[in-house]
Amino acid sequence: MGTLRMAKDAKSGVVDAECRSFDHKNLFVAGASVFATGVPTNPTITIAALALRTAEAIDQQLAHG
């Protein structure tokens, strides 16, 4: 957790809110590594929600070429 921080810009993190890499536009990361820090509770639901958001972003990218 926290190794590929999600942020608003590349200076603060590695991926954006859609879990898309700032450096490689075709690279998406869906998992606990995009959390800012570790969490004390089970992160499964949050990871699933991030994966669904990421899948939607990929679908939109593919639909628009």
Side-chain angles (χ1 to χ4, degrees):
M1 284 186 200
T3 58
L4 300 171
R5 176 179 261 189
M6 183 187 296
K8 291 183 179 182
D9 57 47
K11 291 181 181 181
S12 303
V14 178
V15 299
D16 65 12
E18 296 176 336
C19 297
R20 179 192 308 260
S21 168
F22 288 116
D23 292 335
H24 304 283
K25 294 301 178 186
N26 287 326
L27 175 64
F28 291 83
V29 179
S33 62
V34 301
F35 292 178
T37 61
V39 294
T41 60
N42 187 333
T44 303
I45 299 297
T46 305
I47 294 168
L50 286 171
L52 290 171
R53 182 192 319 188
T54 302
E56 187 174 320
I58 293 169
D59 185 48
Q60 291 293 323
Q61 178 179 326
L62 292 173
H64 294 102

